[in-house]
Amino acid sequence: MCGIVGYISKERNPNSLRLGLEALKRLEYRGYDSAGFAFWDAEKKEIVCQKSVGKIAKLEEKVNGNGNKPVLANPIILHTRWATTGEVTEINAHPHSDCAGKIWLAHNGIIENFHVLKQKLEEEGHKLSSDTDTEVIAHMIEKFFSGNLEDAVRKALPYLKGTYGLVVISKDDPEKLVAAKLGSPLLVGLGENEYLVASDPAAVIAHTKKVIYLDDGEMVSISPNSFSITKGYNVQQKKPENIEWDMEDAQKGGHPHFMLKEILDQPESINNSIRGRVLAEEGKARLGGIRYIEDKLREVEKIKIVACGTAYYAGLIGKYMLEEYGGVPVEVDLASEFRYRKPILDKKTMVIAVSQSGETADTLGAIKEAKEKGAMILGIVNAVGSAIARESGVGIYNHAGPEIGVASTKAFTSQVTILALLSLYLGRQRGLSLVMGQRIAKEILSLPGLVRETLNLNDRVRELAGKYKDYDNFLYLGRKYNLPVALEGALKLKEISYIHAEGYGAGEMKHGPIALIDENFPSIVICPSDSVYDKVVSCIEQIRCRKGKVVVIATEGNENIKKIADDVIYIPKTLEMLTPIVSVVPLQLFAYHMAALRGCEIDKPRNLAKSVTVE
Ligand code: G6P
């Protein structure tokens, strides 16, 4: 996701631009699609800006292309962008400036009322050149500027609705770097010879471990030799804190493993996946990537989802949603099977490829095959610009941020969320009622909060893992929307703890797996209060008769279930179609803690790869 760095040196330093770029590179692990910087050239007395689509290395090439002459760049603002509003282009990359090119700014977050602000600014004569929400902030600051940058920023901020972490410089108040925060992270690094501002401690750690974390509503104004933090006009006295982590830890946000960080990141990653895409009042989804094919989508007669691993399980949940609410028949295929099984495709078939990395060879092969047969292709991909995203042509990005742990967690909940949005989108094209549309939209918006609540179970799940860590076999059961969750829960456990686990449809248990049950073969049953609740309860009873231990994932308030379960984990209530996004969370945590307690290497389990680019 987007990254911000601000750099201001206390002395004249011809290396400052290189140092700023190095700090920015330490945010590369978060993923981005374009990068840029702007700085005050103290000798030429002008602001210089460079941007490029792609890697930071490309920006560096541009700098080196200028003969690599040392410049007295001070202060500097730098940014890595992961596109959310406006496509991936150089114009949309940050920093953005005002009309006169005097005020330059980089921003993380989203300005929700930017359309309104943009219209007003244009009426007042401002010329905006990008499609981003960020650019309006530069023009708002311009509007209030009368010699003091800090003052202008302070006056402009109350007009912004949404979230921001931002850094600003100005030609007319040049030796100053101003930064402000609301909802997006921002900290100030206090180095010996320099100050840094960053959205992530990983950017500053090589320079200093002394940092001040800004709180919402705070602003910092930094000059080469001093800084002051204010909230409104009140000066804030804040004590610096010491970062205790090293570089790798910093990237893990202080957690012992990327997997845990990514599980805990889910409220934010889901928020990023739905941001700007839910029209609550209209009960609709707005999906920019597919708006060009809106009419073609009306004609789609069947959908085939192709994917591998965890993404395949997300696809299976998508089938239930798309059929129930989207009104289209759906088949889900393992991409590795699809490409060899002579699928019947035509122009009215839409093939949806779901992939976190966007590089999985089987999924890529499947869509190439489908394309040749004339099917429409749509990608649901997390990695911007990846092979599957490019091959699909149209698609919906997850915007879940980079996933580094091999066992997929936040990508899964994001994929299911996007499939819910797509079901809403197609459903509303095909007669899904306004009322139902509004209900789904409202519930999608509450998902980040529900997942946050579910994450409070972390300690309880760790305790449970302590109780069950010595068992060598597990059965995971679920039905309807939660059958794929059972498959995913079992996959998580086997991937990282190497414990044998089988995922099964609760209705299928009597056709085979019941033979395995005894007191040494525990079952984890996903049994929320939904349309198949009674059926799943019967399945639990059958296990109990055979002395099998049962851990049940149930809906809050269901006290009865305690009578037939050895252990219960309660999850919050939501619409049946969205339950998987909540019910999978304790299963992710369970797998994580089981693996941790058994001393397994969690982020890079044996024999597995994050991105499988071979058949
Ligand atoms: C590998 C990963 C899984 C992932 C699968 C599909 O097996 O270890 O976590 O679910 O590939 O990857 P994709 O990037 O296409 O979602």
Side-chain angles (χ1 to χ4, degrees), residues 308-311 354-358 360 363 406-408 415 495 609-610 612:
C308 302
T310 289
V354 185
S355 174
Q356 188 287 127
S357 63
T360 304
T363 313
V406 165
S408 184
Q415 286 157 350
E495 274 181 317
K610 183 71 190 152
V612 184

Side-chain angles (χ1 to χ4, degrees), residues 450-461:
L450 294 175
V451 170
R452 189 168 295 117
E453 206 183 314
T454 313
L455 286 168
N456 290 333
L457 290 167
N458 192 16
D459 289 344
R460 161 97 182 99
V461 177

Side-chain angles (χ1 to χ4, degrees), residues 47-62:
I47 288 187
V48 178
C49 171
Q50 291 276 15
K51 307 181 192 189
S52 72
V53 168
K55 296 289 164 203
I56 297 174
K58 272 200 174 174
L59 256 187
E60 289 182 313
E61 274 167 29
K62 286 192 178 177

Side-chain angles (χ1 to χ4, degrees), residues 205-280:
I205 223 159
H207 296 254
T208 178
K209 293 202 160 188
K210 226 162 109 188
V211 299
I212 297 177
Y213 290 93
L214 293 187
D215 285 314
D216 279 348
E218 288 182 346
M219 206 171 101
V220 62
S221 173
I222 313 178
S223 302
N225 287 307
S226 66
F227 71 94
S228 94
I229 298 173
T230 46
K231 191 164 191 168
Y233 285 91
N234 301 324
V235 175
Q236 306 294 104
Q237 299 298 346
K238 300 188 78 162
K239 272 205 183 142
E241 294 176 38
N242 262 327
I243 304 178
E244 309 271 316
W245 324 316
D246 60 21
M247 188 73 76
E248 218 204 25
D249 289 342
Q251 298 188 336
K252 290 179 198 152
H255 298 294
H257 300 98
F258 279 110
M259 182 182 177
L260 183 60
K261 175 181 185 288
E262 287 156 7
I263 293 173
L264 300 175
D265 266 354
Q266 289 176 110
E268 197 195 330
S269 53
I270 295 171
N271 214 358
N272 289 334
S273 300
I274 61 179
R275 182 174 288 143
R277 289 172 163 172
V278 181
L279 304 173

